[in-house]
Amino acid sequence: MDAIVPMTSQPTAMASRNWMIRRLMIETIRSDPEYKNGDYTAQPRSAKIASIMYATATNGGTLAYQKAAPTRAQADKLVDERLAAPFTADANDFIYAWDSSRDYDPAPTLEKIEAAVLCINAADDERNPPETGITDAALKRIKNAQLLLIPASEATRGHGTTGAAKFYAKEPGEFLAKVPQRGM
């Protein structure tokens, strides 16, 4: 591999708020009497609420939410819309998917990465907050790594920012043009 462009991530162990909220979401579903230890006949209602709560807490951007819902009435409207939307996830699959990150930890082997790295994150990422310095410190351990930190704005969406290429449209091309091709 000559290059890699991880987005919306931290090259460290799953921990802190990111893991805590995942764990709380999982526990919310598991503790629901409708869950029946995974032997439910109908999807537990808590799965939808836990998913909406997690998404709201860790995806959306502080400035964007303030712009979209500056009053309680507007915030309630957003919540009501999310609660009214269809939810098709299976509770057991949902728990499995979120719990699968529990042992994620690339940190012990970062020095082994030989490929050029362009890490793209957002300054308002609620799951991987840049103010902790974790990503900066981890990237220093990789020979050829750099960080593109998209500034927070009313247009960014926190953890969801990298879902819109308009925030980083030119940088990956510029990065890849400079990457030495090692060939086969």
Side-chain angles (χ1 to χ4, degrees):
M1 174 185 329
D2 294 327
I4 185 169
V5 182
M7 299 167 61
T8 318
S9 63
Q10 284 185 321
T12 60
M14 179 58 63
S16 192
R17 176 181 23 206
N18 194 351
W19 175 249
M20 292 165 64
I21 294 179
R22 288 170 193 244
R23 169 84 191 283
L24 289 167
M25 180 174 54
I26 292 165
E27 295 302 326
T28 297
I29 298 167
R30 284 185 177 150
S31 66
D32 184 336
E34 293 177 9
Y35 181 64
K36 299 178 183 173
N37 201 30
D39 294 324
Y40 45 86
T41 54
Q43 294 299 321
R45 288 174 283 184
S46 64
K48 179 178 187 175
I49 295 169
S51 177
I52 293 167
M53 186 146 150
Y54 181 78
T56 303
T58 69
N59 193 13
T62 302
L63 298 175
Y65 273 140
Q66 184 60 40
K67 181 179 182 181
T71 67
R72 193 195 83 241
Q74 289 167 309
D76 281 342
K77 183 176 184 274
L78 281 178
V79 170
D80 290 341
E81 289 169 358
R82 290 173 183 184
L83 290 171
F87 183 75
T88 58
D90 175 78
N92 283 328
D93 290 347
F94 189 82
I95 288 173
Y96 178 82
W98 288 104
D99 196 38
S100 68
S101 63
R102 76 172 35 256
D103 59 356
Y104 171 79
D105 186 5
T109 57
L110 291 177
E111 286 84 4
K112 292 182 180 181
I113 296 174
E114 294 181 21
V117 176
L118 172 62
C119 181
I120 302 176
N121 283 345
D124 58 350
D125 186 335
E126 302 90 343
R127 295 184 205 175
N128 304 301
E131 60 269 23
T132 64
I134 292 170
T135 299
D136 288 332
L139 291 179
K140 287 177 183 171
R141 296 175 46 207
I142 301 170
K143 284 183 238 178
N144 187 9
Q146 57 185 308
L147 173 65
L148 169 60
L149 189 62
I150 300 165
S153 73
E154 290 180 347
T156 57
R157 296 294 180 261
H159 191 71
T161 298
T162 58
K166 67 182 180 181
F167 295 111
Y168 56 89
K170 69 178 184 4
E171 290 87 347
E174 293 169 353
F175 166 74
L176 291 172
K178 295 176 185 174
V179 172
Q181 305 296 307
R182 294 185 289 173
M184 299 203 170

